[in-house]
């Protein structure tokens, strides 16, 4: 089994050293950069499997770093990003997710939780055994679970790794109403807060990618007070 290489962009050297040592002992190779510019340069210089990105950086705001990562060409622009955010500041989390981050973890945090989230993101980004029917088709919408691609009318729909898994979770259960915590538990493999608004942010991004009319969605429907349902019958 190959070692996953992580890039940590964190200006708190003491925290980075502690977390880096813990992750190294857990089998990861860790590169640490103290600011956004150095982190972006390192990412372009050598490919990594995941970026742990702090939002409070001395030179470039972490949200801007995330935006620049997603603008990079090739695999560098698709690398999973796990944000470290200030505790109790949901707006940073929402904006970060809108920019394409795959997950977030509020500070202060337990290294074990960071490790669990890193492993979960990597599992989502590198799928295991192929399902019996690898391509899900709903009218003009096609979801290829092996290639991890989505097309609408033959045109690619851009989704993050996490958003892709959210879409698959709904599509595999088409016609079944799922609560927010059921959806997030299915994707992350752990219970999360039912009222975490990040799920709504991601659903909005998925709809923007696959729906013809955002004001009148036909594929992902909101069930008020409950959650979401993926429509079985689609054109």
């Amino acid at each position: 089994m190959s070692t996953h290489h992580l890039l940590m962009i964190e200006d708190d050297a003491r925290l980075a050293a502690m977390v880096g040592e813990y992750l190294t002992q857990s089998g990861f190779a860790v590169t640490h950069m103290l600011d956004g510019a150095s982190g972006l340069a390192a990412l372009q210089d050598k490919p990594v499997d995941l970026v742990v990105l702090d939002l409070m950086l001395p030179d470039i705001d972490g949200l801007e770093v995330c935006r620049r990562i997603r603008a990079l060409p090739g695999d560098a622009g698709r690398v999973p990003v796990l944000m470290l955010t200030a505790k109790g500041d949901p707006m940073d989390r929402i904006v970060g997710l809108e920019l394409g981050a795959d997950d977030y973890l509020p500070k202060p945090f337990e290294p074990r939780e960071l490790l669990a989230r890193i492993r979960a993101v990597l599992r989502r980004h590198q799928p295991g055994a192929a399902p019996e029917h690898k391509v899900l088709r709903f009218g003009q919408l096609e979801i290829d679970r092996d290639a991890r691609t989505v097309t609408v009318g033959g045109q690619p729909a851009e989704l993050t790794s996490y958003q892709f898994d959210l879409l698959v979770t709904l599509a595999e259960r088409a016609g079944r109403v799922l609560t927010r915590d059921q959806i997030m538990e299915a994707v992350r493999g752990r219970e999360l807060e039912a009222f975490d608004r990040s799920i709504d942010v991601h659903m909005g991004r998925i709809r923007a990618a696959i729906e013809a009319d955002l004001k009148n969605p036909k594929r992902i429907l909101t069930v008020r007070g409950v959650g979401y349902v993926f429509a079985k019958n689609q054109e």
Side-chain angles (χ1 to χ4, degrees):
M1 180 178 178
S2 61
T3 300
H4 286 109
H5 186 191
L6 310 180
L7 171 62
M8 183 183 303
I9 307 176
E10 166 64 66
D11 66 330
D12 187 333
R14 182 177 179 182
L15 173 65
M18 178 190 70
V19 173
E21 181 180 359
Y22 181 82
L23 293 175
T24 299
Q25 292 175 351
S26 299
F28 293 92
V30 181
T31 296
H32 172 228
M33 293 296 168
L34 287 166
D35 56 63
S38 298
L40 288 167
L43 180 59
Q44 294 176 77
D45 181 59
K46 183 178 181 180
V48 300
D49 298 297
L50 183 142
V51 176
V52 178
L53 173 64
D54 184 26
L55 292 191
M56 300 297 292
L57 296 171
D59 58 342
I60 307 172
D61 182 87
L63 295 174
E64 177 61 22
V65 174
C66 185
R67 182 184 292 109
R68 295 187 189 183
I69 289 175
R70 288 294 172 246
L72 293 174
D75 291 341
R78 293 189 291 269
V79 64
V81 175
L82 191 157
M83 300 186 310
L84 302 179
T85 70
K87 187 174 180 63
D89 193 350
M91 186 53 64
D92 278 348
R93 299 198 294 269
I94 290 172
V95 174
L97 292 168
E98 288 179 337
L99 291 174
D102 294 87
D103 200 357
Y104 66 85
L105 182 62
K107 290 182 175 181
F109 57 84
E110 289 289 335
R112 285 179 298 177
E113 182 174 6
L114 175 62
L115 175 62
R117 287 179 179 266
I118 287 173
R119 285 174 171 166
V121 172
L122 290 172
R123 283 196 300 269
R124 296 197 299 266
H125 197 68
Q126 299 175 346
E132 181 180 355
H133 303 290
K134 66 180 181 179
V135 179
L136 297 170
R137 293 184 175 89
F138 301 88
Q140 296 291 310
L141 175 66
E142 290 194 1
I143 306 168
D144 189 325
R145 288 179 285 192
D146 274 0
R148 295 183 69 80
T149 59
V150 178
T151 58
V152 181
Q155 298 300 311
E158 297 296 328
L159 298 173
T160 67
S161 175
Y162 184 43
Q163 290 159 7
F164 178 86
D165 286 326
L166 284 174
L167 177 59
V168 169
T169 296
L170 287 170
E172 288 177 337
R173 299 162 178 79
R176 174 183 168 189
V177 178
L178 299 176
T179 64
R180 289 172 176 82
D181 50 335
Q182 284 175 330
I183 295 169
M184 297 175 81
E185 184 178 358
V187 172
R188 294 183 176 179
R190 62 192 297 272
E191 292 186 4
L192 295 171
E193 297 176 6
F195 298 104
D196 191 331
R197 291 298 302 278
S198 70
I199 192 74
D200 300 319
V201 174
H202 281 299
M203 288 301 175
R205 300 289 289 184
I206 296 170
R207 280 174 169 158
I210 69 172
E211 297 281 6
D213 182 0
L214 286 178
K215 295 183 179 180
N216 186 30
K218 300 295 186 182
R219 295 186 170 100
I220 297 179
L221 309 179
T222 300
V223 181
R224 293 192 179 279
V226 182
Y228 296 92
V229 60
F230 189 90
K232 282 186 175 180
N233 299 320
Q234 302 176 18
E235 298 180 356

